[in-house]
Every structure is written in C-alpha cells, then in structure tokens.
Amino acid sequence: MSRIDNAFLSLKRTGEKGLVVYLTAGDPNPAASVAYLRAAADGGADLLEVGIPFSDPTADGPTIQAASRRAIGGGMSVARALGLVSLLRRTHETPVVLFGYYNPFLSFGVPKLCREAREAGADGFLVVDLPPEESREMRPAVLGAGMDWIPLATPTSGPGRIRRAAAAGSGFLYLVSVTGITGVRNALPPGLAAWARSVKARTRLPVAVGFGISTPGMARETTRFADAAVVGSACVRVVERCGASRKGPGELRRFVHSLKHAMR
Amino acid sequence: MSALIDLEAGYRKVRADARFREELEALLRDYAGRPTPLYFARRLTEKAGGARIYLKREDLAHTGSHKINNTLGQGLLAGRMGKRRVIAETGAGQHGVATATVCAKMDLSCDVYMGSEDVRRQELNVFRMQLLGARVVPVESGSRTLKDAMNEALRDWVTNVRTTYYLIGSTAGPHPYPAMVRDFQSVIGKECIRQFRRSAGGLPAAVVACVGGGSNAMGIFTPFIGRRGVALYGVEAAGHGLSTGRHGATLCRGRIGVLHGSKSFVLQDRDGQIREAHSISAGLDYPGVGPEHAWLKASGRASYVSVTDEQALEAFDVLTRCEGIMPALESSHAVAYGCRLARRLGRSASLVINVSGRGDKDITILARTKGATRVADR
C-alpha cells in the first residue's frame, strides 16, 4: 500500500475530499521552495505535486512557464529536486508526485532516477509527454521501484484509451478538465461534472481533476464529482507574487487552507 | 494523443486513395511548378574544381522553397479531415508562407507562430504571410526562434484540437508528422533520380542537403536510401563554430533526447534542458532533428557534417556570382559543403546539391552583415 493509496483511503474513511497542490521545484530558489512545499502541506494539502522544471513546457501556460524559467535560472535540476523532496521528508509525510516532462528524466537515466527518487521519499511520477502508448519507457521502472505511475486522461482521450491508461496506472487518475494547457481560469468548463462521473465509472482509481481550478469555490465544485482537486497555477501565482520574502510561505499556507476549507 | 491517432488514420486513408494522389500531383505540377529542374552548374563546377555539380532547383518552386510540397499535401489532408482552421510554426518563414499560400488557395483560416527573433530576421516573409491573409503570432518565450514557435503552436493545438489542423513543416514533432512530411517531400528525390538518369546517366556519386529539422534532406535522400552507391551528406549549421557552443549541429553535437514528441538527437545540457541553437539561417536554428536522420546516422547510411555561418555566406556569394542563383542561407550550407566535396570526389564524379530555397527572404540580413563592406568596396 503506497503513501498515495493511504492518503486517499483515509480521506474516504473521514468522508473528506482531497486537495492536491502543484508547485514548481526550485521556484523561486531552492531554499524558499522547500519552505513553500512545507507551507502547502501545513495549509492542508493532502498530496503535493512537485514540478520538475523543463525548458520547453508545452503543456503549461504562462504562469508555470515563468516558474520553470525562475527555477532553471536558480540552477534547479532533477538531482536537486530530489534533494528538495528529501528535505521535505524530514518534516512531512505528505505524499509527493514528481510531475514533469520526459527529457530531463531520460537524461538523468530512468533506472537511477527511480532508485534515487524512492530514496528521497517520492511516491509517484506523472510524465505529461509520455502517453500510455509510450509509457513502457518509464512505467515499469517506476512501478518496480514501488512508486505509483499516475495516468492522465484528457477530454479527447476517448473511453477505450482512458480505461487502458487507468488499468496500467496506480495511485490516482489525473483528469485534465479542459482541452488545453495549465493556467488560472474563471470557471469550470461546462460538461465537466458529467464527464468526470463517466470516467469515475470506468476506473477503480480515485479521480483528481486539474487544469484551471483556481479558487476555493471552484475547488469545492470540483470535489462534488471528483475525489480530489488539483490547484497548480493559482498556488504558483502566490509564489510568483511573494518570491523569496519571509511572508510568502505564510500566504501560501493561508491560500491552501482556504481551498481545503471550502472542500469540507 | 487522440488527435495524433486521428491524424494517422486520416493520413493512411488518403495515402491509399488514388483520387487524393491525383489531386496532389496536379497541384504540384500546375500550381507549384513541378518538376523543378535539375540544373548542371557549369561555372560552379569549374570554380569548385572537381566533380560535376548538379543543382536540384527547389528554389524555383512556388513560394520559393521546397516547403510547398508538404503544405499542399497536408492542406488537402486538413480539408479531407474537415478542419477549417490551420496553424503552423515557422523559422525562416518559408514554411509559414507556404502554409499561408495553401490556406489562401483552399479557403482555410491560418495562424502562424513565429519566434520574435525570426520575425525580426525574416521580416519580408512576415509581410508575405500577412498579405496572404494569415495572422502571424510572434512568440516571445525562450530563444524566440523555431523551437519556441513550435511550443506555442502545440499549446494552441491542444487547446483547439477539435477544430484545428496543425500543419508541421519539418520532419519533427510526434508521429506521424516525420513520416508524413518525409513522404510529401520525397517527390524531390524521385524527380532527381529520373532527371539525373536522363541528363547525365546512372546515379550521382553523392547527394548533399542542409539539415535543420530535416525536411528537404529527407525529401531528397529517401528515394536514394536503397541505392547504396550514392553517398548522402546532411549539412548542419555550425553557426559561430562547433567549439563555441553557438551552433545548430544537432546530429554532430547533440545526444539522444525527446523534444516535441519525437525521440532523436537533441541539443541539451547536462540536466536535459534544451539548449538554444544558433545559426545565421533561421531555418537551421532548431535544437532537434527528424528521427529518421538519427537512424540514417546510426546506421551509417548518411554522413552528417557542418558548415559555419561564415562559410555559408561565402558559398552564397559564390553561387550568386558564378551562376546567378541566389540560394537561401539554409541552402548555402549545402552549397558550401557540396563544393568542398566536389574537390574531394574529383572530376570523374557527379554530385547533386539540393538548393532547398531561394535567398530573397535573406536580403535584409545579408544587407546587414555585408552592407558595410560592400559600400567600402566601391
């Protein structure tokens, strides 16, 4: 039973919904980044998605593109991101999913990556540009190291591909709310609830919905039909606004708390 | 991914469709001006002092480069798939112009993503695209060149995938693009074999083409791959020099990676971050390269070499002055290496250089780099 499975199980027991917070590793700098991750966990995040910055993040909107630039500019790399995860593990047990693009992982070396990620205390991987058809490049090694392989479903995936992706994955299923890229949006797309319910009917995995969920109200609405909501760009915006200032982690903690509170 | 699966299915269908092939052939002939000539460059041959040099004149194709071969094919496919909006990325602007042209002709709406650095370098092509009714979207992220234009086009595509056809211009991007672009460009090599046999007899000793993403090179190489006696040379941009790190020589200096959905050679740093490519020619400024070039390199079937900005400029002058043909700066790389190779092969051999495009688009940049010295010459 993985740390991610446990997290969803205990949510289910208490009748709560999950909050997944995404932050880019190393944003705005390595030390402050750990403080922000801890603040997100303290604010009530049930799961953390730690983004490995990539020079060409084609699935990301301007907010996470800018965060990736800041992180890479500060020297962030796969190896250093694993260092941040192990620092986080000294104080927090919150499950961590490493979220990223394939090339930095491939360059680091997949077998070595899985070994070291496990040692650092990471719990799973979500690789946005490795669709199920190409996941043999990495999925077996991740599962073999005892971590989860988080499958992704998009509005154009189609029922057959979603079922296959879910069957090959573990932990939870990440459901992308819109056809599009990450970024803050004003409202949930129409038809999301019905679609999420139809996906839930096709998998045993808990379903987390992400992309564009930006406010406590939207998080609440999302968790009416999903097991968890993922909030990324809206949290990254707090980091962007506060930078390395001392009040930054406190602000993020309060924002995360407001998200979690709205879901209760 | 579903969009790629649909695209592959759509492409398979038209490939097997005789009506589609006839329609495309007619357009290539009557609209794009094919076949483009294979021209024996007598004075260039004398100047190089070795093998007989033939030029495959893609510069004479409609819109000024080989790019039209692929945009006509994919434009027809977009229509068959019921997509009314087309997006494209462009570096030098030649693919953008060829896409805008086809969209004008086929009454499709057209948005072209172009790095703002390239918008500046290739302003003539920006204006051409606008005249053709396309919207040019300058991209400000990263190195502001082809790679970043492609990132932005991919973001647009995933957002508007239901209505939009993404028309990729190089043998880059996810499957089926590299294969599809290769197929549509193979007309270059097929014509070349026929024309060479007719005018010189037999086969050339070598074929030379420049490689950025690799479309014109794949186009001329592909029909020659099975003809083992013909040496294939891909010429990459050495920019300021391979040792300076400021170049676009992906096959010569890159390592295996994944960029824009294909696994091939990639210019990247130790951490797997994509490096910025550099070349005086916007069309060679790409840190990735078509996966089949990686295969041709690994199998030893093709050789990949490089030519610096300075050598390319010199070759531009040579071809312009002794043949009255102004090659694009991209193609000038192939000309530079072709002349060197001609000397090595000796007078009894023949070789073909693919002149992938014409140099009109580069006049501004040539004026900027050469202007001062020319005025002083007078």
Side-chain angles (χ1 to χ4, degrees):
Chain A
M1 184 78 99
S2 76
R3 218 183 255 134
I4 295 173
D5 293 337
N6 273 327
F8 278 103
L9 206 66
S10 67
L11 284 168
K12 202 171 179 181
R13 262 190 222 120
T14 56
E16 264 182 80
K17 296 294 184 162
L19 173 64
V20 183
V21 168
Y22 168 96
L23 292 171
T24 301
D27 176 32
N29 64 51
S33 175
V34 177
Y36 277 114
L37 286 168
R38 287 182 172 140
D42 290 341
D46 300 293
L47 239 110
L48 294 170
E49 271 184 15
V50 176
I52 308 297
F54 181 48
S55 52
D56 296 79
T58 43
D60 286 300
T63 304
I64 294 177
Q65 287 177 42
S68 308
R69 259 198 312 280
R70 289 193 294 273
I72 293 170
M76 193 42 46
S77 62
V78 172
R80 287 186 179 149
L82 296 182
L84 301 188
V85 173
S86 52
L87 282 176
L88 174 74
R89 274 287 164 266
R90 291 187 188 171
T91 51
H92 290 77
E93 279 297 308
T94 317
V96 167
V97 173
L98 298 174
F99 182 103
Y101 294 81
Y102 185 47
N103 199 57
F105 297 146
L106 174 67
S107 170
F108 190 83
V110 169
K112 180 175 162 226
L113 172 69
C114 292
R115 214 165 43 238
E116 295 187 12
R118 186 69 188 155
E119 278 167 23
D123 303 288
F125 277 91
L126 200 171
V127 187
V128 281
D129 55 351
L130 268 189
E133 289 81 353
E134 305 289 343
S135 67
R136 64 185 175 280
E137 295 247 348
M138 200 169 159
R139 191 179 65 92
V142 168
L143 295 176
M147 291 179 290
D148 285 311
W149 180 258
I150 312 298
L152 198 72
T154 73
T156 56
S157 295
R161 289 187 69 244
I162 292 178
R163 203 168 36 235
R164 282 195 297 279
S170 61
F172 64 94
L173 183 130
Y174 191 125
L175 190 143
V176 177
S177 68
V178 286
T179 56
I181 53 177
T182 63
V184 169
R185 289 182 177 83
N186 296 325
L188 296 179
L192 175 61
W195 181 57
R197 287 199 185 99
S198 83
V199 171
K200 263 187 77 63
R202 284 197 188 86
T203 175
R204 291 170 297 106
L205 296 176
V207 170
V209 175
F211 279 42
I213 297 164
S214 314
T215 64
M218 288 164 86
R220 183 176 56 233
E221 216 180 314
T222 303
T223 48
R224 290 210 177 113
F225 48 80
D227 301 298
V230 187
V231 182
S233 294
C235 293
V236 172
R237 274 196 174 176
V238 176
V239 178
E240 181 171 43
R241 198 176 62 238
C242 301
S245 76
R246 278 171 61 187
K247 66 173 174 60
E251 286 222 9
L252 182 68
R253 194 185 63 239
R254 280 188 291 280
F255 179 59
V256 170
H257 182 77
S258 72
L259 293 167
K260 182 70 188 179
H261 185 74
M263 291 162 40
R264 286 203 171 107
Chain B
M1 190 68 200
S2 317
L4 295 171
I5 295 169
D6 292 347
L7 177 62
E8 191 180 5
Y11 178 54
R12 280 220 181 123
K13 214 163 110 190
V14 298
R15 255 185 93 159
D17 179 352
R19 286 226 332 265
F20 180 90
R21 281 202 307 269
E22 279 163 26
E23 201 178 338
L24 179 58
E25 270 164 31
L27 282 172
L28 288 171
R29 182 185 65 232
D30 304 331
Y31 184 74
R34 303 205 73 88
T36 59
L38 182 71
Y39 166 71
F40 171 56
R42 186 178 309 279
R43 290 197 66 218
L44 182 67
T45 298
E46 283 165 14
K47 172 99 181 168
R52 293 163 66 84
I53 300 175
Y54 289 81
L55 305 177
K56 180 60 176 160
R57 299 290 308 276
E58 291 301 298
D59 57 311
L60 291 178
H62 181 41
T63 71
S65 81
H66 71 291
K67 292 293 187 188
I68 192 78
N69 305 331
N70 169 55
T71 55
L72 279 171
Q74 287 199 55
L76 281 181
L77 176 57
R80 294 282 177 107
M81 292 179 72
K83 306 285 167 99
R84 302 302 304 163
R85 174 176 182 256
V86 167
I87 57 169
E89 81 297 331
T90 195
Q94 289 303 101
H95 174 58
V97 167
T99 304
T101 299
V102 164
C103 287
K105 192 200 136 29
M106 298 179 182
D107 191 24
L108 303 167
S109 92
C110 179
D111 289 343
V112 180
Y113 289 92
M114 188 171 189
S116 59
E117 166 68 11
D118 291 337
V119 168
R120 190 184 61 77
R121 285 196 282 191
Q122 312 272 250
E123 54 190 342
L124 182 67
N125 273 345
V126 173
F127 191 47
R128 287 171 80 196
M129 286 183 264
Q130 288 167 341
L131 288 173
L132 288 159
R135 191 168 67 104
V136 178
V137 187
V139 176
E140 298 291 346
S141 57
S143 55
R144 302 182 185 89
T145 60
L146 182 55
K147 149 182 102 81
D148 312 284
M150 202 148 171
N151 289 341
E152 215 48 44
L154 282 165
R155 291 183 186 118
D156 180 319
W157 199 35
V158 298
T159 306
N160 302 298
V161 59
R162 290 190 177 95
T163 58
T164 299
Y165 184 95
Y166 181 17
L167 209 166
I168 293 185
S170 199
T171 50
H175 179 73
Y177 285 105
M180 186 164 64
V181 176
R182 170 205 65 203
D183 291 348
F184 285 134
Q185 291 294 359
S186 294
V187 65
I188 307 173
K190 285 180 199 152
E191 286 175 6
C192 186
I193 287 180
R194 215 169 44 231
Q195 291 165 322
F196 192 88
R197 188 169 293 144
R198 204 172 332 138
S199 59
L203 289 165
V207 172
V208 183
C210 64
V211 178
S215 69
N216 89 83
M218 269 332 285
I220 197 164
F221 286 179
T222 298
F224 282 103
I225 290 172
R227 289 157 164 99
R228 295 275 148 185
V230 182
L232 306 175
Y233 292 91
V235 187
E236 296 194 300
H240 292 187
L242 293 186
S243 59
T244 64
R246 288 181 56 72
H247 59 75
T250 310
L251 288 155
C252 295
R253 281 291 185 275
R255 60 191 172 88
I256 299 291
V258 171
L259 175 64
H260 296 144
S262 52
K263 192 175 196 181
S264 183
F265 281 74
V266 176
L267 293 177
Q268 54 185 317
D269 68 12
R270 263 185 27 214
D271 297 328
Q273 306 296 352
I274 308 305
R275 282 177 42 185
E276 294 178 4
H278 170 85
S279 170
I280 190 166
S281 61
L284 302 185
D285 227 347
Y286 183 62
V289 67
E292 284 191 64
H293 284 296
W295 164 67
L296 289 174
K297 178 187 157 92
S299 67
R301 181 61 190 93
S303 310
Y304 294 89
V305 295
S306 67
V307 156
T308 63
D309 286 353
E310 203 179 326
Q311 292 162 338
L313 284 167
E314 218 176 277
F316 173 92
D317 274 350
V318 169
L319 186 58
T320 302
R321 293 299 179 87
C322 54
E323 296 287 353
I325 295 171
M326 271 190 210
L329 285 176
E330 291 76 10
S331 322
S332 301
H333 287 72
V335 174
Y337 188 78
C339 291
R340 214 188 295 164
L341 183 65
R343 278 190 289 279
R344 211 168 71 219
L345 291 176
R347 288 177 193 281
S348 58
S350 298
L351 65 85
V352 175
I353 299 172
N354 197 23
V355 182
S356 54
R358 68 176 85 124
D360 309 35
K361 70 182 177 63
D362 296 312
I363 299 302
T364 328
I365 191 157
L366 285 161
R368 217 172 280 146
T369 49
K370 290 169 175 274
T373 53
R374 283 296 143 77
V375 173
D377 282 352
R378 270 186 245 141

